[in-house]
Short mmCIF file of all heavy atoms in Angstrom, two decimals:
data_model
loop_
_atom_site.label_atom_id
_atom_site.label_comp_id
_atom_site.label_asym_id
_atom_site.label_seq_id
_atom_site.Cartn_x
_atom_site.Cartn_y
_atom_site.Cartn_z
N LEU A 48 5.31 -4.61 11.22
CA LEU A 48 5.72 -5.14 9.92
C LEU A 48 4.74 -4.68 8.84
O LEU A 48 5.16 -4.21 7.78
CB LEU A 48 5.78 -6.67 9.96
CG LEU A 48 5.97 -7.39 8.63
CD1 LEU A 48 7.33 -7.07 8.04
CD2 LEU A 48 5.80 -8.89 8.82
N GLY A 49 3.46 -4.80 9.11
CA GLY A 49 2.45 -4.40 8.14
C GLY A 49 2.51 -2.93 7.80
O GLY A 49 2.37 -2.54 6.64
N TRP A 51 5.16 -0.92 7.99
CA TRP A 51 6.36 -0.70 7.17
C TRP A 51 6.14 -1.17 5.73
O TRP A 51 6.57 -0.51 4.78
CB TRP A 51 7.58 -1.39 7.77
CG TRP A 51 8.20 -0.61 8.86
CD1 TRP A 51 8.21 -0.91 10.20
CD2 TRP A 51 8.93 0.62 8.74
NE1 TRP A 51 8.88 0.06 10.90
CE2 TRP A 51 9.33 1.01 10.04
CE3 TRP A 51 9.26 1.43 7.67
CZ2 TRP A 51 10.05 2.17 10.27
CZ3 TRP A 51 9.98 2.59 7.90
CH2 TRP A 51 10.36 2.95 9.19
N VAL A 52 5.46 -2.29 5.58
CA VAL A 52 5.20 -2.82 4.24
C VAL A 52 4.25 -1.89 3.48
O VAL A 52 4.44 -1.64 2.28
CB VAL A 52 4.66 -4.26 4.33
CG1 VAL A 52 4.08 -4.73 3.01
CG2 VAL A 52 5.76 -5.21 4.78
N ILE A 53 3.24 -1.36 4.15
CA ILE A 53 2.31 -0.43 3.50
C ILE A 53 3.04 0.82 3.03
O ILE A 53 2.85 1.27 1.90
CB ILE A 53 1.14 -0.08 4.45
CG1 ILE A 53 0.22 -1.29 4.62
CG2 ILE A 53 0.37 1.12 3.95
CD1 ILE A 53 -0.80 -1.15 5.72
N ALA A 55 6.23 1.14 2.38
CA ALA A 55 7.12 0.76 1.28
C ALA A 55 6.33 0.57 -0.02
O ALA A 55 6.80 0.98 -1.09
CB ALA A 55 7.87 -0.52 1.63
N LEU A 93 4.91 -3.68 -5.12
CA LEU A 93 5.16 -5.07 -4.75
C LEU A 93 6.64 -5.32 -4.48
O LEU A 93 7.00 -5.93 -3.46
CB LEU A 93 4.67 -6.00 -5.86
CG LEU A 93 4.88 -7.49 -5.64
CD1 LEU A 93 4.06 -7.97 -4.46
CD2 LEU A 93 4.53 -8.27 -6.90
N ILE A 94 7.50 -4.82 -5.34
CA ILE A 94 8.95 -5.03 -5.16
C ILE A 94 9.44 -4.37 -3.88
O ILE A 94 10.15 -4.99 -3.08
CB ILE A 94 9.72 -4.50 -6.40
CG1 ILE A 94 9.42 -5.37 -7.62
CG2 ILE A 94 11.21 -4.45 -6.12
CD1 ILE A 94 9.85 -4.76 -8.93
N ALA A 95 9.05 -3.13 -3.66
CA ALA A 95 9.48 -2.43 -2.44
C ALA A 95 8.92 -3.11 -1.19
O ALA A 95 9.62 -3.25 -0.19
CB ALA A 95 9.04 -0.97 -2.49
N ALA A 96 7.67 -3.55 -1.25
CA ALA A 96 7.06 -4.21 -0.10
C ALA A 96 7.76 -5.52 0.24
O ALA A 96 8.00 -5.83 1.41
CB ALA A 96 5.58 -4.46 -0.37
N VAL A 97 8.13 -6.30 -0.77
CA VAL A 97 8.81 -7.58 -0.52
C VAL A 97 10.19 -7.33 0.09
O VAL A 97 10.58 -8.02 1.05
CB VAL A 97 8.92 -8.40 -1.84
CG1 VAL A 97 9.88 -9.55 -1.69
CG2 VAL A 97 7.55 -8.89 -2.24
N VAL A 98 10.92 -6.36 -0.43
CA VAL A 98 12.26 -6.07 0.11
C VAL A 98 12.16 -5.63 1.57
O VAL A 98 12.89 -6.13 2.44
CB VAL A 98 12.97 -4.99 -0.75
CG1 VAL A 98 14.22 -4.48 -0.07
CG2 VAL A 98 13.29 -5.55 -2.13
N VAL A 99 11.26 -4.71 1.86
CA VAL A 99 11.10 -4.23 3.24
C VAL A 99 10.58 -5.35 4.14
O VAL A 99 11.01 -5.47 5.30
CB VAL A 99 10.19 -2.99 3.28
CG1 VAL A 99 9.75 -2.65 4.69
CG2 VAL A 99 10.90 -1.80 2.65
N CYS A 100 9.70 -6.17 3.64
CA CYS A 100 9.16 -7.28 4.43
C CYS A 100 10.26 -8.25 4.83
O CYS A 100 10.34 -8.65 6.00
CB CYS A 100 8.07 -7.99 3.63
SG CYS A 100 7.27 -9.31 4.55
N ILE A 101 11.09 -8.63 3.90
CA ILE A 101 12.19 -9.56 4.21
C ILE A 101 13.13 -8.94 5.24
O ILE A 101 13.55 -9.60 6.19
CB ILE A 101 12.92 -9.98 2.92
CG1 ILE A 101 11.99 -10.87 2.08
CG2 ILE A 101 14.22 -10.69 3.24
CD1 ILE A 101 12.52 -11.18 0.70
N TYR A 102 13.44 -7.66 5.06
CA TYR A 102 14.31 -6.98 6.01
C TYR A 102 13.69 -6.97 7.41
O TYR A 102 14.35 -7.28 8.40
CB TYR A 102 14.59 -5.55 5.54
CG TYR A 102 15.32 -4.72 6.57
CD1 TYR A 102 16.68 -4.90 6.81
CD2 TYR A 102 14.63 -3.80 7.35
CE1 TYR A 102 17.34 -4.17 7.77
CE2 TYR A 102 15.29 -3.05 8.32
CZ TYR A 102 16.64 -3.24 8.53
OH TYR A 102 17.29 -2.52 9.49
N GLN A 103 12.42 -6.60 7.50
CA GLN A 103 11.76 -6.53 8.80
C GLN A 103 11.58 -7.90 9.44
O GLN A 103 11.68 -8.05 10.66
CB GLN A 103 10.38 -5.85 8.65
CG GLN A 103 10.45 -4.37 8.37
CD GLN A 103 10.99 -3.59 9.54
OE1 GLN A 103 10.72 -3.89 10.70
NE2 GLN A 103 11.77 -2.56 9.24
N LEU A 104 11.31 -8.93 8.64
CA LEU A 104 11.20 -10.29 9.18
C LEU A 104 12.52 -10.73 9.81
O LEU A 104 12.52 -11.32 10.89
CB LEU A 104 10.79 -11.27 8.08
CG LEU A 104 9.33 -11.22 7.64
CD1 LEU A 104 9.13 -12.11 6.42
CD2 LEU A 104 8.40 -11.63 8.77
N ARG A 105 13.61 -10.44 9.14
CA ARG A 105 14.92 -10.80 9.70
C ARG A 105 15.24 -9.97 10.93
O ARG A 105 15.79 -10.49 11.91
CB ARG A 105 16.00 -10.64 8.65
CG ARG A 105 15.92 -11.70 7.59
CD ARG A 105 17.06 -11.60 6.63
NE ARG A 105 16.97 -12.67 5.65
CZ ARG A 105 17.79 -12.82 4.67
NH1 ARG A 105 18.78 -11.97 4.50
NH2 ARG A 105 17.65 -13.81 3.83
N LYS A 106 14.93 -8.69 10.88
CA LYS A 106 15.23 -7.79 12.00
C LYS A 106 14.48 -8.22 13.27
O LYS A 106 15.06 -8.23 14.35
CB LYS A 106 14.83 -6.37 11.62
CG LYS A 106 15.06 -5.34 12.72
CD LYS A 106 14.64 -3.96 12.25
CE LYS A 106 14.69 -2.97 13.39
NZ LYS A 106 14.17 -1.67 12.99
N HIS A 107 13.21 -8.57 13.14
CA HIS A 107 12.40 -8.95 14.30
C HIS A 107 12.37 -10.46 14.55
O HIS A 107 11.65 -10.92 15.43
CB HIS A 107 10.98 -8.43 14.14
CG HIS A 107 10.89 -6.94 14.16
ND1 HIS A 107 11.19 -6.20 15.28
CD2 HIS A 107 10.55 -6.06 13.19
CE1 HIS A 107 11.02 -4.91 15.00
NE2 HIS A 107 10.65 -4.80 13.74
N LEU A 109 11.04 -12.91 12.90
CA LEU A 109 9.74 -13.56 12.70
C LEU A 109 9.91 -14.67 11.67
O LEU A 109 10.69 -14.52 10.72
CB LEU A 109 8.71 -12.54 12.21
CG LEU A 109 8.27 -11.49 13.22
CD1 LEU A 109 7.45 -10.40 12.54
CD2 LEU A 109 7.46 -12.13 14.34
N PRO A 110 9.22 -15.78 11.84
CA PRO A 110 9.35 -16.89 10.88
C PRO A 110 8.76 -16.52 9.51
O PRO A 110 7.63 -16.02 9.43
CB PRO A 110 8.57 -18.03 11.53
CG PRO A 110 7.64 -17.36 12.49
CD PRO A 110 8.30 -16.10 12.91
N LEU A 111 9.52 -16.75 8.46
CA LEU A 111 9.14 -16.34 7.11
C LEU A 111 7.84 -16.99 6.66
O LEU A 111 6.88 -16.31 6.31
CB LEU A 111 10.26 -16.67 6.12
CG LEU A 111 9.94 -16.42 4.64
CD1 LEU A 111 9.77 -14.94 4.38
CD2 LEU A 111 11.01 -17.01 3.75
N SER A 114 4.74 -16.22 8.88
CA SER A 114 4.30 -14.84 8.64
C SER A 114 3.59 -14.71 7.30
O SER A 114 2.58 -14.02 7.18
CB SER A 114 5.49 -13.89 8.70
OG SER A 114 6.09 -13.93 9.97
N GLY A 115 4.12 -15.37 6.30
CA GLY A 115 3.46 -15.35 5.00
C GLY A 115 2.08 -15.95 5.05
O GLY A 115 1.13 -15.42 4.45
N PHE A 118 -0.29 -13.40 6.70
CA PHE A 118 -0.61 -12.22 5.91
C PHE A 118 -1.39 -12.54 4.63
O PHE A 118 -2.10 -11.67 4.12
CB PHE A 118 0.67 -11.47 5.51
CG PHE A 118 1.13 -10.50 6.56
CD1 PHE A 118 2.14 -10.85 7.44
CD2 PHE A 118 0.57 -9.24 6.66
CE1 PHE A 118 2.58 -9.96 8.40
CE2 PHE A 118 1.00 -8.34 7.61
CZ PHE A 118 2.00 -8.69 8.49
N ILE A 122 -3.88 -9.97 2.67
CA ILE A 122 -3.41 -9.35 1.43
C ILE A 122 -4.44 -9.56 0.32
O ILE A 122 -4.76 -8.63 -0.42
CB ILE A 122 -2.03 -9.92 1.03
CG1 ILE A 122 -0.96 -9.45 2.01
CG2 ILE A 122 -1.68 -9.53 -0.40
CD1 ILE A 122 0.37 -10.14 1.84
#
Side-chain angles (χ1 to χ4, degrees):
L48 170 66
W51 278 110
V52 167
I53 289 169
L93 179 65
I94 292 166
V97 167
V98 169
V99 167
C100 184
I101 291 171
Y102 172 76
Q103 289 292 323
L104 285 172
R105 288 185 178 178
K106 178 180 173 185
H107 294 294
L109 290 169
L111 174 67
S114 298
F118 274 98
I122 291 170

